[in-house]
């Protein structure tokens, strides 16, 4: 099993999307790469802690690979939008790819280059080693499963596409 961390705006929809993809074995939402200890949602919401809402993705590299997950990540975000995804605005909603294995960096850099070729403006996606990650409160975990009509900035078509990836293998 391998791990990667994606900040893609509000973590409710981002987690739900990744959970549907083939090879993803586990997800959890939390706060990454900030400068305080054990932040709460209320603290992160102030945009003073430096944390981004992030999804920790654990995947089976025998079923899927990082390149595929990165391609899916770019389908779920506006890579040019700084500190904003959908209607969510603030540094906590910035986009980022945070890695724990330096051997993953070449694949991440290649995915960033491929995505950049699609635009003339620079991408607003951070690529950094994971500095820290704190699991969000339980009510945020699997939020859209617990609240099927809950808020999500991602289009429903994206979830349908993610479900179809399970049929491809």
């Amino acid at each position: 099993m391998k791990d990667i961390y994606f900040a893609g705006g509000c973590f409710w929809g981002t987690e739900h999307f990744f959970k549907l993809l083939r090879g993803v074995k586990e997800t959890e939402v939390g706060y990454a790469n900030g400068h305080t200890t054990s932040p709460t949602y209320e603290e992160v919401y102030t945009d003073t802690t430096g944390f981004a809402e992030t999804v920790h993705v654990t995947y089976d590299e025998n079923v899927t690979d990082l390149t595929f997950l990165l391609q899916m990540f770019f389908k779920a975000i506006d890579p040019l939008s700084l500190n904003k995804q959908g209607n969510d605005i603030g540094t906590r909603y910035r986009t980022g790819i945070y890695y724990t294995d330096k051997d993953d960096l070449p694949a991440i850099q290649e995915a960033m280059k491929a995505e950049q070729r699609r635009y003339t403006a620079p991408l607003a996606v951070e690529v950094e080693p994971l500095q820290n990650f704190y699991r969000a409160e339980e009510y945020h975990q699997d939020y859209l499963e617990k609240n099927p009509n809950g808020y999500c900035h991602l289009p429903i078509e994206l979830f349908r596409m993610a479900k179809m990836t399970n049929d491809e293998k």
Side-chain angles (χ1 to χ4, degrees), residues 3-153:
D3 297 289
I4 191 73
Y5 295 76
F6 292 112
C10 176
F11 51 27
W12 294 341
T14 305
E15 178 191 35
H16 189 70
F17 173 65
F18 277 101
K19 184 173 264 210
L20 296 172
L21 295 172
R22 76 169 186 260
V24 171
K25 297 301 177 188
E26 191 174 319
T27 60
E28 68 179 332
V29 298
Y31 316 112
N33 285 12
H35 52 61
T36 63
T37 303
S38 300
T40 65
Y41 178 76
E42 289 74 21
E43 291 168 338
V44 171
Y45 197 82
T46 67
D47 277 342
T48 61
T49 64
F51 284 96
E53 288 194 12
T54 301
V55 179
H56 172 200
V57 175
T58 302
Y59 63 98
D60 183 342
E61 62 186 321
N62 295 314
V63 177
T64 194
D65 61 18
L66 182 56
T67 299
F68 172 75
L69 295 176
L70 290 162
Q71 290 168 347
M72 294 299 102
F73 174 67
F74 283 116
K75 289 184 182 303
I77 65 166
D78 174 352
L80 302 180
S81 186
L82 181 64
N83 300 328
K84 179 181 185 307
Q85 291 293 303
N87 293 322
D88 302 313
I89 300 171
T91 58
R92 67 192 172 276
Y93 297 121
R94 68 187 182 271
T95 54
I97 304 164
Y98 309 125
Y99 58 94
T100 58
D101 182 346
K102 65 179 173 30
D103 291 340
D104 289 340
L105 188 55
I108 295 167
Q109 290 170 329
E110 186 55 41
M112 289 286 290
K113 285 181 198 171
E115 189 68 15
Q116 182 61 70
R117 285 192 285 273
R118 301 179 62 224
Y119 302 96
T120 55
L123 301 183
V125 179
E126 295 180 335
V127 174
E128 299 178 357
L130 183 73
Q131 299 167 21
N132 50 31
F133 179 81
Y134 295 95
R135 182 178 165 88
E137 296 81 352
E138 190 56 37
Y139 71 93
H140 290 295
Q141 306 301 322
D142 302 311
Y143 184 84
L144 290 180
E145 287 180 21
K146 296 173 188 171
N147 303 279
N149 295 320
Y151 167 78
C152 181
H153 70 287

